[in-house]
Amino acid sequence: MSDNATGSAAAERGLPPSEPGGVASFEEADRGPIRRMQEFLHRFPTSIPFIVLLIGVVIFSFAAPGKFLAPFNFSLILQQVTIIAILGVAQTLVILTAGIDLSVGVIMILASVVMGRTAVVYGVPVEIAFPLGLLAGLACGFVNGVIVTKLRLPPFIVTLGTWSIFGALNVWYSKSETIRQADVQETAPFLQWTGTIIKPYDFFSNTLGLDLGFLKGWVLNYGSVVMLIVAAVIWYVLNKTAFGRHVYASGDDPDAARLAGINTDRTLIGVYALAGFICAIAAWVLIGRIGGVSPQAGQTANLDSITAVVIGGTSLFGGRGSIVGTLVGALIVGVFRNGLALSGLELLWQDFAVGVLIIVAVTIDQWIRKISS
Amino acid sequence: MSAATPIEPAALVPALKARALNKRYGRVVALDNADFDLMPNEILAVIGDNGAGKSTLIKALTGAVSPDHGEIWLNGQPVSFKSPIEARNLGIETVYQNLALSPALSIADNMFLGREKRREDLIGRMFRTLDKPYMQKVARQKLTELGLLTIQNINQPVETLSGGQRQGVAVARAAAFGSRVVIMDEPTAALGVKESRKVLETILRLKERGLPIVLISHNMPHVFEVADRIHIHRLGKRIAVINPKNHTMSDAVAIMTGAMAPPLDEAA
């Protein structure tokens, strides 16, 4: 007993002041600036994509003088990345749970076909056809979620399978027919609304009488606005609601999440269903962008969305990442593709650069994760 | 054995009591008429050799395993749990050996993981907004109560904490929600000397706050340092309860391994 008493007394005297400071300073002295950078990146992982984006912008301003740094060009990049960014938001949700969704692209196409064909070819009012398309996306995601959780199969395999299944349903429902822009415009112009051009300069001078010169030359469309709203809503869900915390916890350590009382199956089904719904919103933006409805559109959207998420700093191992990162990741891909093209390089170098970015992003993620072990 | 028969003196209703718990896995008898008593405001250590059925006993008491038969009382009320969540809702908190923390989430998020507090105003009801300031305040308060607030930032991810600090967060979470009983499974097993010391101090602080604690441990010096009584489990049942003041560590180990006959005076 007396041994123990003196032991804990010594601990009380000695430990509290020395322990935290002592341990921390030891590590810093040992590893130096690299360790400190690792800690900084660990705390602010989204800073990497921001830095990469900045570097890209600076490089291409010099590589393509006059052309790259123009409001019109930035507007173009923004329009090009809008769909990938929305799908990226859906993909982020799934990847945060340590899963992957290979079916986001095909869900988007299927939903666009459901919206367009139901309204234009079958003559159903767009007030019904549009929600029907959203519902189709939600249902596809729900199916993914149920298979992943109830059959306990790896998400990669499940969504590889449903990619094929949803693709077949797409061919069946669309009969491989494209719907022309003029037909959509005539029967269901609402579906094209996301493609409507906004000129911020005109908008502010007409409504508020402001002469905001720096907005001259910018051309946006409502699709970009939809993208920002989707991103804002999902950011809110992830950061400000219990469901969001459960998404992170389920991806981080599923066993711990279950022991803490989280219904991880319900969380996962919710994530996949929500992702499907977001893909259907992307379908609406897709119709706005191409004007008509094509069952062959957006074939590369799948991998592009994963690329945006990974370059945006979200970990494929789940539990860490952010919506802001994904938006910046999508912008990085857009900036590099556009910049390289304007610099006069061939298309193949765009793919080359995107590939390098992916590998570098995953390497950095692995390195940052080492801090916790 | 009827539930109404008070075995203990009327003044001392056990915080958690079990009688004649049985559990078989095929031919293996994990619990063989095991009894258990945790008195109010005590630290009860549970020791036993590997395979003695100690972890099955704890799982039965926390709802992770449902016994084939036998009865459990919580503060004198008969209870039965179908899941750990049910046990938790009745005020039995468990600090698991792997801690059940989510490494990338913050300390405050982890404290409320699975039972987040929503804002009570209209915005909270409409948009399910979390009451983060409240959760951070409570998290800080709980850690301070247990003397663990050398932790600088309540919003730092748990993975940036040391092993002992993580243990501290898990214990603080149990203390924050465990209204009746806190069960700790090998809390010092993965820790160094200094950090173990800190966790033992935390356990004693928890007891000062009036919570009865079950401590499962293989570490005899730790058990003898903090336990008020020691429940010795052997061959699927409780064979003795000893007072650490009257017995040595080697006695405890001898009883646990069957080398010494269990003392009759203090049992039960």
Side-chain angles (χ1 to χ4, degrees), chain B residues 1 7 16-24 29-38 46-47 51-61 65 67-73 231-241 268:
Chain B
M1 172 142 317
I7 292 166
L16 190 61
K17 176 172 104 167
R19 287 291 174 270
L21 294 178
N22 278 276
K23 182 73 188 173
R24 285 168 164 275
V29 181
L31 288 178
D32 177 18
N33 279 319
D35 295 342
F36 178 86
D37 290 275
L38 173 68
V46 175
I47 62 172
K54 165 177 73 160
S55 68
T56 310
L57 171 72
I58 296 309
K59 281 179 182 164
L61 294 173
V65 153
D68 298 335
H69 49 87
E71 284 171 286
I72 300 172
W73 291 264
H231 167 136
I232 304 178
H233 215 70
R234 178 170 155 74
L235 301 176
K237 63 182 129 194
R238 176 175 73 184
I239 53 161
V241 177

Side-chain angles (χ1 to χ4, degrees), chain A residues 40-249:
Chain A
F40 173 81
L41 294 178
H42 183 266
R43 191 172 290 183
F44 307 103
T46 317
S47 55
I48 304 169
F50 270 112
I51 293 167
V52 172
L53 183 63
L54 203 68
I55 293 172
V57 168
V58 170
I59 290 175
F60 294 123
S61 319
F62 288 105
K67 284 185 278 184
F68 181 79
L69 261 188
F72 175 76
N73 190 45
F74 280 134
S75 305
L76 187 70
I77 294 174
L78 202 61
Q79 288 178 33
Q80 281 167 344
V81 303
T82 299
I83 290 165
I84 296 307
I86 297 176
L87 291 181
V89 169
Q91 193 69 262
T92 307
L93 280 169
V94 175
I95 290 182
L96 278 177
T97 68
I100 196 139
D101 192 343
L102 298 178
S103 67
V104 289
V106 75
I107 293 178
M108 171 178 73
I109 301 164
L110 181 60
S112 77
V113 166
V114 169
M115 286 175 189
R117 203 168 168 83
T118 313
V120 178
V121 179
Y122 301 125
V124 175
V126 76
E127 291 81 7
I128 296 171
F130 177 67
L132 214 59
L134 294 180
L135 201 65
L138 186 74
C140 290
F142 182 76
V143 167
N144 279 336
V146 168
I147 299 176
V148 166
T149 52
K150 299 305 171 194
L151 299 184
R152 310 231 159 269
L153 297 175
F156 183 90
I157 299 301
V158 172
T159 56
L160 187 64
T162 53
W163 178 6
S164 202
I165 293 168
F166 299 153
L169 291 178
N170 171 39
V171 174
W172 166 73
Y173 193 76
S174 69
K175 301 200 168 67
S176 298
E177 289 168 13
T178 301
I179 303 168
R180 288 182 308 142
Q181 184 169 4
D183 296 338
V184 179
Q185 201 162 7
E186 199 187 309
T187 32
F190 172 75
L191 294 180
Q192 291 175 335
W193 176 82
T194 51
T196 313
I197 296 291
I198 324 168
K199 292 192 169 142
Y201 178 79
D202 295 351
F203 176 80
F204 283 110
S205 61
N206 292 343
T207 53
L208 300 171
L210 294 170
D211 182 28
L212 301 172
F214 65 93
L215 288 175
K216 269 184 186 163
W218 282 90
V219 181
L220 302 175
N221 57 27
Y222 283 116
S224 305
V225 177
V226 169
M227 172 196 82
L228 289 176
I229 292 171
V230 168
V233 169
I234 299 305
W235 178 87
Y236 171 86
V237 167
L238 282 177
N239 291 291
K240 301 288 175 188
T241 71
F243 176 75
R245 301 288 87 192
H246 297 176
V247 171
Y248 279 92

Side-chain angles (χ1 to χ4, degrees), chain B residues 13 35 42 60 74 78 86-87 98 129 131 150 153 197 247 253:
Chain B
V13 179
D35 295 342
E42 75 165 347
L74 183 61
E86 280 184 28
N98 66 4
T129 317
D131 194 345
T150 46
N153 178 358
R197 176 78 31 224
H247 291 82
V253 173

Side-chain angles (χ1 to χ4, degrees), chain A residues 40-41 44-57 307-314 321-333 335-336 357 360-361 364-365 368:
Chain A
F40 173 81
L41 294 178
F44 307 103
T46 317
S47 55
I48 304 169
F50 270 112
I51 293 167
V52 172
L53 183 63
L54 203 68
I55 293 172
V57 168
T307 304
V309 173
V310 170
I311 292 181
T314 294
S322 69
I323 293 297
V324 176
T326 297
L327 292 188
V328 177
L331 275 176
I332 289 173
V333 176
V335 160
F336 272 77
L357 284 174
V360 169
I364 293 175
D365 173 49
I368 297 173

